[in-house]
Amino acid sequence: MKLFFTVSFFFLIVSCKIYQPIEFEGIDDYSFSSENGCNPMCISLEFYNPNFYNVAVKSAKIKASLSEDDLGFLDLKDYYILKKKQNSVIELSLNTESKSIQPILSGFLNFFIGKEVKLSVDGVIKAKAMGLSKNIQIERSFKIKY
């Protein structure tokens, strides 16, 4: 029994030491195409996994805003694995609520008539590696134009 606890404790210490944080590279792409299931919008986020093992993405709690108007929360479109020592892209779709329809319409109208609009994402992605959950903080904004 002592051996089990010793081995478990050693594994826990080693796994904490060898984990390097996942790096959020930025917003890779965005789409307003309903053909791709983007009703009304999809965002692709890019990450770099510096570890020598794959990391599974478990959940996302990311809020999106368009020109300071809250759009809603982004949901994972699929199950994702961040490959070891590689860049990976995660696609998220906007989950809109009825109260946020007006800001969405005004933001998209400004986008489609050619005005510059600021897209912001802020939140946390939960990932799991070697039995331990890790949070990846997301906070980025950039200007988009049609």
Side-chain angles (χ1 to χ4, degrees):
M1 191 71 157
K2 254 184 169 179
L3 180 63
F4 173 74
F5 287 119
T6 305
V7 169
S8 297
F9 182 72
F10 177 75
F11 177 72
L12 182 63
I13 296 298
V14 169
S15 65
C16 290
K17 287 239 179 229
I18 59 176
Y19 176 79
Q20 296 176 350
I22 304 297
E23 300 168 13
F24 173 55
E25 298 290 318
I27 298 173
D28 184 58
D29 196 13
Y30 58 90
S31 174
F32 299 105
S33 171
S34 59
E35 294 171 2
N36 297 335
C38 302
N39 291 322
M41 182 172 77
C42 293
I43 296 175
S44 299
L45 304 177
E46 185 174 357
F47 297 89
Y48 176 69
N49 179 6
N51 299 295
F52 64 90
Y53 47 85
N54 294 338
V55 175
V57 175
K58 292 298 183 185
S59 65
K61 185 163 179 139
I62 300 175
K63 191 166 198 139
S65 20
L66 200 58
S67 293
E68 308 302 323
D69 292 321
D70 287 338
L71 297 179
F73 285 95
L74 297 169
D75 293 327
L76 290 172
K77 287 185 78 173
D78 206 352
Y79 176 78
Y80 293 98
I81 297 285
L82 303 177
K83 299 289 184 182
K84 59 185 172 185
K85 302 280 186 186
Q86 289 184 32
N87 282 359
S88 299
V89 174
I90 294 175
E91 292 189 20
L92 300 138
S93 61
L94 188 61
N95 180 13
T96 59
E97 300 171 1
S98 58
K99 66 181 180 183
S100 61
I101 293 296
Q102 196 273 331
I104 291 172
L105 293 177
S106 66
F108 289 151
L109 179 62
N110 286 335
F111 173 77
F112 286 117
I113 61 173
K115 288 187 178 177
E116 205 170 69
V117 177
K118 185 171 91 173
L119 174 64
S120 301
V121 291
D122 183 22
V124 175
I125 289 187
K126 186 176 270 190
K128 193 168 191 176
M130 298 177 69
L132 300 172
S133 291
K134 302 289 183 179
N135 289 334
I136 306 167
Q137 191 67 36
I138 308 295
E139 187 176 336
R140 193 69 51 103
S141 62
F142 72 105
K143 295 179 182 173
I144 59 175
K145 196 170 182 181
Y146 187 62

